[in-house]
Amino acid sequence: MPDLAAIVIHCRDPYLLAPFWSAITGLPVADVDQVRLADRSLGPTEAVLLRDPSGHRPDVWISPADDLPAPGRIHLDLVGDAEERAAVLEAGAAVVRELPRWTVLADPEGNEFCLLPRAEAHGDQTPPGH
């Protein structure tokens, strides 16, 4: 089977979403993109790369798109404890709804994602985003 190389998150405003997704995934913005974010010099179609320096996790691209459907362009399931949940909320996420086994949140553009407790992450239950 192929390996997952990257996740692409389409957005309206990469200046808003790149720092958000960097903060909650712990993936730093690539050096060249840090400069472009700081001086707001991204071209209209230029994406921002979030990359794990160790190379153990897939890249995440925050990519602008002109015509986007309603929120739901991507759905990620993240795993975290109470402290990590607080950090996600501090970074700008909003709680959409609390479910018995996980929390549905939204990023600053309204894209929903789930935060599961570690005990739920690899169970044999239906994934939250499905």
Side-chain angles (χ1 to χ4, degrees):
M1 297 299 290
D3 290 329
L4 178 63
I7 297 166
V8 179
I9 300 174
H10 291 284
C11 66
R12 290 179 180 82
D13 185 354
Y15 296 103
L16 176 66
L17 286 196
F20 172 82
W21 284 107
S22 176
I24 71 165
T25 62
L27 294 172
V29 174
D31 292 342
V32 67
D33 290 332
Q34 286 180 11
V35 172
R36 292 180 197 167
L37 286 173
D39 64 14
R40 298 190 67 82
S41 63
L42 289 169
T45 61
E46 286 185 298
V48 176
L49 173 61
L50 309 181
R51 176 164 280 164
D52 178 4
S54 71
H56 291 115
R57 297 167 61 194
D59 292 339
V60 174
W61 289 94
I62 309 301
S63 180
D66 288 333
D67 187 25
L68 296 172
R73 297 174 292 265
I74 189 168
H75 183 100
L76 300 177
D77 292 338
L78 306 176
V79 177
D81 59 22
E83 185 176 315
E84 291 161 324
R85 175 191 162 113
V88 167
L89 293 170
E90 178 69 26
V95 174
V96 174
R97 63 188 165 278
E98 298 281 353
L99 299 171
R101 294 180 13 240
W102 60 80
T103 303
V104 179
L105 300 122
D107 73 14
E109 284 194 359
N111 300 301
E112 292 185 2
F113 62 99
C114 291
L115 184 64
L116 294 76
R118 292 193 187 285
E120 297 288 337
H122 299 289
D124 58 1
Q125 303 296 320
T126 303
H130 305 281

